[in-house]
Amino acid sequence: MTLCDINIMDALENQILLLDGAIGTELQKFHPCKEDYLDNSEGFSDSLSITKPQWISQIHRNYLKAGANCIETNTFSSNTIKLQEFGYEGKTELFNEKISKIAVDICSEFSDLPRYVLGSMGPTGFLPSSTDPELGKKSLEEIKNAFEAQAIGLIRGGVDALLIETSQDILEVKLAVEASHDAMCKMNTKIPIFANITLDQYGRMLLGTNIQAAYTIISGMDIDVFGLNCSTGPSEMFSSVQWLNENSKHKLLIAPNAGMPKNKDGDAFYDLSPSEMQSDMKNMISKCNQIRITGGCCGTTPDHIKLLRKIIDNNFR
């Protein structure tokens, strides 16, 4: 575990914790070439933790210097099904353990604020609720096992909580939560589970599940924090956050993008400035007191996190 003496759930009782921002866009600032990736597998971003650990360490360090209390492991695509694309499915546990330790080691360098590591668990790329023959072809057991192996590795690596994030299929979220509980049971330990879903600008998951249904389904599965991340900026998710604030029995984690994604020469970019995001999030947090963790997703940088640190310190202590 990290060196903070205060359990993350206890910390949330007394303060709003600040999450880091995007990792993927920060990695691109190093201009990785094909040879930088494990086995020259271009696009295998999690593998840069193995081949270029100094890059990942620097990203973690930059966010912690900006004032983040929590950093995420670079394991968004390190469940067994995702790793299978690159031939590393048999090393899921080891992969996640090794990558987690990078974040834990960097966290131990900082003692000025409570610091925590969240084990990032992104989607498999399949949609178990879908009737599409390709997207729905993975069995429920395969998906659950993929997350269980990942959770075991993350726990071994010393994370303070498991973060199921950017989830687009509510059935996959259920499987990931069940897998996390099973992993902890096998390891005879207990750490918090944070479950984040992703909504479009109309307040629905990819397959149509609205916020009310999503929360109702997941809230009774012994999770510790529920929330939203990715897909939209703060303003587009505000009504969904308000509903959660009024109806949720859980603490909330809210991590929007730096605005809605836009297309420039075939690439996505995000144009919400740090000061604009600071203003939007100040308004949201002031109206939604269940928010206990906030930070950024796609397009956010250490500069965004630095200004979010200021609004927390100046307004919500």
Side-chain angles (χ1 to χ4, degrees), residues 96-308:
N96 283 274
E97 180 180 358
K98 188 169 184 178
I99 296 174
S100 298
K101 287 180 177 177
I102 296 173
V104 171
D105 287 346
I106 296 301
C107 244
S108 69
E109 296 176 4
F110 294 79
S111 58
D112 54 331
L113 296 170
R115 310 283 188 167
Y116 304 97
V117 175
L118 307 185
S120 173
M121 301 171 66
T124 62
F126 292 88
L127 302 171
S129 299
S130 175
T131 57
D132 182 275
E134 275 301 309
L135 292 175
K137 71 180 182 181
K138 292 292 183 183
S139 71
L140 303 187
E141 184 179 16
E142 284 180 281
I143 292 174
K144 184 177 174 182
N145 289 342
F147 285 123
E148 184 177 323
Q150 180 176 27
I152 288 172
L154 292 169
I155 295 167
R156 284 181 180 159
V159 302
D160 295 285
L162 297 174
L163 174 60
I164 300 161
E165 61 164 318
T166 323
S167 306
Q168 302 175 51
D169 183 331
I170 199 63
L171 179 53
E172 186 176 68
V173 184
K174 285 190 65 177
L175 294 169
V177 173
E178 290 173 1
S180 298
H181 284 304
D182 288 351
M184 286 186 271
C185 186
K186 283 186 177 180
M187 300 185 70
N188 194 29
T189 190
K190 181 73 170 76
I191 63 172
I193 297 175
F194 299 173
N196 266 29
I197 63 168
T198 292
L199 304 174
D200 63 20
Q201 59 186 313
Y202 307 108
R204 294 184 177 272
M205 298 177 74
L206 183 62
L207 297 178
T209 309
N210 63 22
I211 185 62
Q212 294 88 347
Y215 179 71
T216 300
I217 291 168
I218 301 302
S219 60
M221 296 188 68
D222 195 20
I223 62 168
D224 298 274
V225 173
F226 186 84
L228 306 176
N229 78 287
C230 203
S231 190
T232 72
S235 60
E236 292 82 9
M237 63 170 63
F238 184 67
S239 61
S240 296
V241 176
Q242 274 192 312
W243 184 89
L244 283 171
N245 191 68
E246 293 167 3
N247 295 278
S248 171
K249 296 179 181 179
H250 291 82
K251 294 175 174 60
L252 301 179
L253 188 165
I254 306 298
N257 290 342
M260 291 291 291
K262 298 182 179 179
N263 188 293
K264 183 178 182 180
D265 300 325
D267 295 321
F269 78 101
Y270 305 84
D271 62 0
L272 196 66
S273 70
S275 59
E276 290 170 327
M277 189 165 181
Q278 179 190 41
S279 176
D280 286 350
M281 291 307 296
K282 180 180 178 181
N283 176 60
M284 184 186 293
I285 297 171
S286 67
K287 295 178 178 178
C288 301
N289 61 4
Q290 289 284 87
I291 297 175
R292 305 307 296 166
I293 309 180
T294 190
C297 203
C298 300
T300 56
T301 67
D303 288 337
H304 288 82
I305 301 308
K306 190 179 296 182
L307 290 191
L308 291 181

